[in-house]
mmCIF file of all heavy atoms in Angstrom:
data_model
loop_
_atom_site.group_PDB
_atom_site.id
_atom_site.type_symbol
_atom_site.label_atom_id
_atom_site.label_comp_id
_atom_site.label_asym_id
_atom_site.label_seq_id
_atom_site.Cartn_x
_atom_site.Cartn_y
_atom_site.Cartn_z
ATOM 1 N N VAL A 252 0.836 -1.204 0.000
ATOM 2 C CA VAL A 252 0.000 0.000 0.000
ATOM 3 C C VAL A 252 0.871 1.255 0.000
ATOM 4 O O VAL A 252 0.577 2.224 -0.704
ATOM 5 C CB VAL A 252 -0.969 -0.018 1.201
ATOM 6 C CG1 VAL A 252 -1.767 1.267 1.280
ATOM 7 C CG2 VAL A 252 -1.910 -1.218 1.121
ATOM 8 N N LEU A 253 1.955 1.232 0.749
ATOM 9 C CA LEU A 253 2.891 2.350 0.759
ATOM 10 C C LEU A 253 3.412 2.622 -0.645
ATOM 11 O O LEU A 253 3.380 3.759 -1.124
ATOM 12 C CB LEU A 253 4.057 2.070 1.709
ATOM 13 C CG LEU A 253 5.208 3.071 1.672
ATOM 14 C CD1 LEU A 253 4.766 4.447 2.125
ATOM 15 C CD2 LEU A 253 6.369 2.566 2.507
ATOM 16 N N ALA A 254 3.871 1.570 -1.306
ATOM 17 C CA ALA A 254 4.426 1.721 -2.662
ATOM 18 C C ALA A 254 3.375 2.245 -3.640
ATOM 19 O O ALA A 254 3.673 3.124 -4.469
ATOM 20 C CB ALA A 254 4.990 0.389 -3.145
ATOM 21 N N GLU A 255 2.171 1.732 -3.565
ATOM 22 C CA GLU A 255 1.103 2.199 -4.463
ATOM 23 C C GLU A 255 0.808 3.676 -4.240
ATOM 24 O O GLU A 255 0.650 4.445 -5.188
ATOM 25 C CB GLU A 255 -0.166 1.366 -4.251
ATOM 26 C CG GLU A 255 -0.032 -0.061 -4.725
ATOM 27 C CD GLU A 255 -1.197 -0.947 -4.300
ATOM 28 O OE1 GLU A 255 -1.978 -0.551 -3.391
ATOM 29 O OE2 GLU A 255 -1.325 -2.039 -4.871
ATOM 30 N N GLY A 256 0.733 4.084 -2.989
ATOM 31 C CA GLY A 256 0.486 5.486 -2.677
ATOM 32 C C GLY A 256 1.619 6.385 -3.134
ATOM 33 O O GLY A 256 1.397 7.474 -3.664
ATOM 34 N N LEU A 257 2.858 5.931 -2.939
ATOM 35 C CA LEU A 257 4.011 6.724 -3.373
ATOM 36 C C LEU A 257 4.022 6.904 -4.889
ATOM 37 O O LEU A 257 4.362 7.985 -5.383
ATOM 38 C CB LEU A 257 5.313 6.078 -2.894
ATOM 39 C CG LEU A 257 5.555 6.129 -1.390
ATOM 40 C CD1 LEU A 257 6.813 5.334 -1.034
ATOM 41 C CD2 LEU A 257 5.646 7.556 -0.886
ATOM 42 N N ARG A 258 3.628 5.869 -5.606
ATOM 43 C CA ARG A 258 3.532 5.994 -7.076
ATOM 44 C C ARG A 258 2.485 7.038 -7.455
ATOM 45 O O ARG A 258 2.692 7.855 -8.349
ATOM 46 C CB ARG A 258 3.206 4.654 -7.723
ATOM 47 C CG ARG A 258 4.414 3.780 -7.953
ATOM 48 C CD ARG A 258 4.119 2.591 -8.856
ATOM 49 N NE ARG A 258 3.154 1.663 -8.286
ATOM 50 C CZ ARG A 258 3.451 0.702 -7.417
ATOM 51 N NH1 ARG A 258 4.703 0.544 -7.019
ATOM 52 N NH2 ARG A 258 2.515 -0.101 -6.968
ATOM 53 N N ALA A 259 1.350 7.011 -6.777
ATOM 54 C CA ALA A 259 0.286 7.979 -7.060
ATOM 55 C C ALA A 259 0.749 9.402 -6.749
ATOM 56 O O ALA A 259 0.499 10.331 -7.533
ATOM 57 C CB ALA A 259 -0.959 7.635 -6.243
ATOM 58 N N ILE A 260 1.434 9.575 -5.650
ATOM 59 C CA ILE A 260 1.943 10.899 -5.273
ATOM 60 C C ILE A 260 2.964 11.373 -6.294
ATOM 61 O O ILE A 260 2.945 12.527 -6.728
ATOM 62 C CB ILE A 260 2.522 10.860 -3.845
ATOM 63 C CG1 ILE A 260 1.392 10.635 -2.838
ATOM 64 C CG2 ILE A 260 3.307 12.135 -3.533
ATOM 65 C CD1 ILE A 260 1.856 10.182 -1.470
ATOM 66 N N SER A 261 3.847 10.483 -6.711
ATOM 67 C CA SER A 261 4.851 10.835 -7.731
ATOM 68 C C SER A 261 4.200 11.220 -9.049
ATOM 69 O O SER A 261 4.745 12.038 -9.796
ATOM 70 C CB SER A 261 5.803 9.661 -7.972
ATOM 71 O OG SER A 261 6.608 9.469 -6.842
ATOM 72 N N ALA A 262 3.040 10.648 -9.321
ATOM 73 C CA ALA A 262 2.313 10.961 -10.560
ATOM 74 C C ALA A 262 1.496 12.250 -10.428
ATOM 75 O O ALA A 262 0.835 12.665 -11.374
ATOM 76 C CB ALA A 262 1.403 9.800 -10.939
ATOM 77 N N GLY A 263 1.519 12.863 -9.245
ATOM 78 C CA GLY A 263 0.840 14.135 -9.066
ATOM 79 C C GLY A 263 -0.487 14.087 -8.339
ATOM 80 O O GLY A 263 -1.168 15.105 -8.225
ATOM 81 N N GLN A 264 -0.882 12.924 -7.843
ATOM 82 C CA GLN A 264 -2.142 12.848 -7.112
ATOM 83 C C GLN A 264 -2.030 13.659 -5.830
ATOM 84 O O GLN A 264 -1.077 13.509 -5.067
ATOM 85 C CB GLN A 264 -2.480 11.382 -6.796
ATOM 86 C CG GLN A 264 -3.840 11.213 -6.165
ATOM 87 C CD GLN A 264 -4.272 9.760 -6.103
ATOM 88 O OE1 GLN A 264 -3.987 8.983 -7.002
ATOM 89 N NE2 GLN A 264 -4.947 9.393 -5.038
ATOM 90 N N ALA A 265 -2.993 14.522 -5.581
ATOM 91 C CA ALA A 265 -2.947 15.435 -4.435
ATOM 92 C C ALA A 265 -3.953 15.071 -3.348
ATOM 93 O O ALA A 265 -4.031 15.755 -2.332
ATOM 94 C CB ALA A 265 -3.191 16.864 -4.903
ATOM 95 N N GLU A 266 -4.723 14.010 -3.555
ATOM 96 C CA GLU A 266 -5.711 13.590 -2.563
ATOM 97 C C GLU A 266 -5.815 12.071 -2.580
ATOM 98 O O GLU A 266 -5.853 11.456 -3.644
ATOM 99 C CB GLU A 266 -7.080 14.182 -2.879
ATOM 100 C CG GLU A 266 -8.158 13.743 -1.938
ATOM 101 C CD GLU A 266 -9.533 14.294 -2.297
ATOM 102 O OE1 GLU A 266 -9.609 15.313 -2.998
ATOM 103 O OE2 GLU A 266 -10.526 13.686 -1.876
ATOM 104 N N ILE A 267 -5.840 11.485 -1.398
ATOM 105 C CA ILE A 267 -6.066 10.047 -1.271
ATOM 106 C C ILE A 267 -7.285 9.865 -0.376
ATOM 107 O O ILE A 267 -7.298 10.311 0.774
ATOM 108 C CB ILE A 267 -4.836 9.312 -0.708
ATOM 109 C CG1 ILE A 267 -3.663 9.450 -1.681
ATOM 110 C CG2 ILE A 267 -5.161 7.842 -0.450
ATOM 111 C CD1 ILE A 267 -2.373 8.803 -1.219
ATOM 112 N N ASP A 268 -8.304 9.224 -0.911
ATOM 113 C CA ASP A 268 -9.551 8.974 -0.203
ATOM 114 C C ASP A 268 -9.404 7.685 0.609
ATOM 115 O O ASP A 268 -9.143 6.619 0.060
ATOM 116 C CB ASP A 268 -10.686 8.847 -1.219
ATOM 117 C CG ASP A 268 -12.043 8.627 -0.581
ATOM 118 O OD1 ASP A 268 -12.136 8.501 0.656
ATOM 119 O OD2 ASP A 268 -13.030 8.576 -1.340
ATOM 120 N N LEU A 269 -9.574 7.791 1.905
ATOM 121 C CA LEU A 269 -9.385 6.662 2.815
ATOM 122 C C LEU A 269 -10.695 5.980 3.202
ATOM 123 O O LEU A 269 -10.710 5.111 4.064
ATOM 124 C CB LEU A 269 -8.668 7.158 4.079
ATOM 125 C CG LEU A 269 -7.352 7.901 3.850
ATOM 126 C CD1 LEU A 269 -6.856 8.519 5.156
ATOM 127 C CD2 LEU A 269 -6.315 6.978 3.245
ATOM 128 N N SER A 270 -11.776 6.346 2.568
ATOM 129 C CA SER A 270 -13.101 5.891 3.000
ATOM 130 C C SER A 270 -13.313 4.389 2.905
ATOM 131 O O SER A 270 -14.158 3.846 3.619
ATOM 132 C CB SER A 270 -14.194 6.611 2.210
ATOM 133 O OG SER A 270 -14.109 6.306 0.836
ATOM 134 N N ARG A 271 -12.590 3.697 2.059
ATOM 135 C CA ARG A 271 -12.783 2.248 1.927
ATOM 136 C C ARG A 271 -12.081 1.453 3.023
ATOM 137 O O ARG A 271 -12.337 0.256 3.183
ATOM 138 C CB ARG A 271 -12.301 1.780 0.556
ATOM 139 C CG ARG A 271 -13.193 2.277 -0.557
ATOM 140 C CD ARG A 271 -12.732 1.938 -1.947
ATOM 141 N NE ARG A 271 -12.042 0.680 -2.076
ATOM 142 C CZ ARG A 271 -11.291 0.347 -3.120
ATOM 143 N NH1 ARG A 271 -11.148 1.185 -4.118
ATOM 144 N NH2 ARG A 271 -10.690 -0.817 -3.176
ATOM 145 N N LEU A 272 -11.190 2.095 3.770
ATOM 146 C CA LEU A 272 -10.454 1.370 4.810
ATOM 147 C C LEU A 272 -11.395 0.929 5.924
ATOM 148 O O LEU A 272 -12.088 1.739 6.520
ATOM 149 C CB LEU A 272 -9.346 2.244 5.392
ATOM 150 C CG LEU A 272 -8.149 2.490 4.491
ATOM 151 C CD1 LEU A 272 -7.197 3.482 5.143
ATOM 152 C CD2 LEU A 272 -7.433 1.183 4.192
ATOM 153 N N ALA A 273 -11.380 -0.353 6.208
ATOM 154 C CA ALA A 273 -12.201 -0.908 7.276
ATOM 155 C C ALA A 273 -11.341 -1.488 8.397
ATOM 156 O O ALA A 273 -11.743 -1.484 9.552
ATOM 157 C CB ALA A 273 -13.123 -1.994 6.730
ATOM 158 N N THR A 274 -10.156 -1.980 8.050
ATOM 159 C CA THR A 274 -9.267 -2.589 9.031
ATOM 160 C C THR A 274 -7.916 -1.894 8.958
ATOM 161 O O THR A 274 -7.285 -1.874 7.898
ATOM 162 C CB THR A 274 -9.091 -4.098 8.738
ATOM 163 O OG1 THR A 274 -10.376 -4.716 8.692
ATOM 164 C CG2 THR A 274 -8.243 -4.768 9.793
ATOM 165 N N VAL A 275 -7.504 -1.315 10.084
ATOM 166 C CA VAL A 275 -6.220 -0.611 10.140
ATOM 167 C C VAL A 275 -5.506 -0.969 11.437
ATOM 168 O O VAL A 275 -6.128 -1.413 12.401
ATOM 169 C CB VAL A 275 -6.399 0.919 10.056
ATOM 170 C CG1 VAL A 275 -6.982 1.339 8.724
ATOM 171 C CG2 VAL A 275 -7.249 1.446 11.189
ATOM 172 N N ASP A 276 -4.191 -0.772 11.426
ATOM 173 C CA ASP A 276 -3.401 -0.874 12.651
ATOM 174 C C ASP A 276 -2.339 0.217 12.596
ATOM 175 O O ASP A 276 -2.397 1.106 11.737
ATOM 176 C CB ASP A 276 -2.829 -2.285 12.856
ATOM 177 C CG ASP A 276 -1.806 -2.716 11.813
ATOM 178 O OD1 ASP A 276 -1.298 -1.855 11.053
ATOM 179 O OD2 ASP A 276 -1.487 -3.910 11.755
ATOM 180 N N SER A 277 -1.371 0.161 13.476
ATOM 181 C CA SER A 277 -0.374 1.225 13.543
ATOM 182 C C SER A 277 0.419 1.375 12.249
ATOM 183 O O SER A 277 0.930 2.456 11.952
ATOM 184 C CB SER A 277 0.570 1.004 14.723
ATOM 185 O OG SER A 277 1.227 -0.234 14.599
ATOM 186 N N ALA A 278 0.503 0.331 11.451
ATOM 187 C CA ALA A 278 1.194 0.431 10.160
ATOM 188 C C ALA A 278 0.481 1.416 9.238
ATOM 189 O O ALA A 278 1.123 2.051 8.392
ATOM 190 C CB ALA A 278 1.289 -0.945 9.499
ATOM 191 N N ALA A 279 -0.813 1.574 9.397
ATOM 192 C CA ALA A 279 -1.556 2.545 8.591
ATOM 193 C C ALA A 279 -1.087 3.958 8.906
ATOM 194 O O ALA A 279 -0.896 4.776 8.003
ATOM 195 C CB ALA A 279 -3.056 2.411 8.841
ATOM 196 N N VAL A 280 -0.895 4.249 10.173
ATOM 197 C CA VAL A 280 -0.426 5.577 10.568
ATOM 198 C C VAL A 280 0.956 5.831 9.979
ATOM 199 O O VAL A 280 1.225 6.906 9.430
ATOM 200 C CB VAL A 280 -0.423 5.723 12.109
ATOM 201 C CG1 VAL A 280 0.162 7.057 12.521
ATOM 202 C CG2 VAL A 280 -1.824 5.541 12.667
#
């Protein structure tokens, strides 16, 4: 997930919608 997000940020994405997240732990932070 980190790598996917970093690719999106590198491509210029300025917003990440977190609404689909249902299960998280400290790694999410």
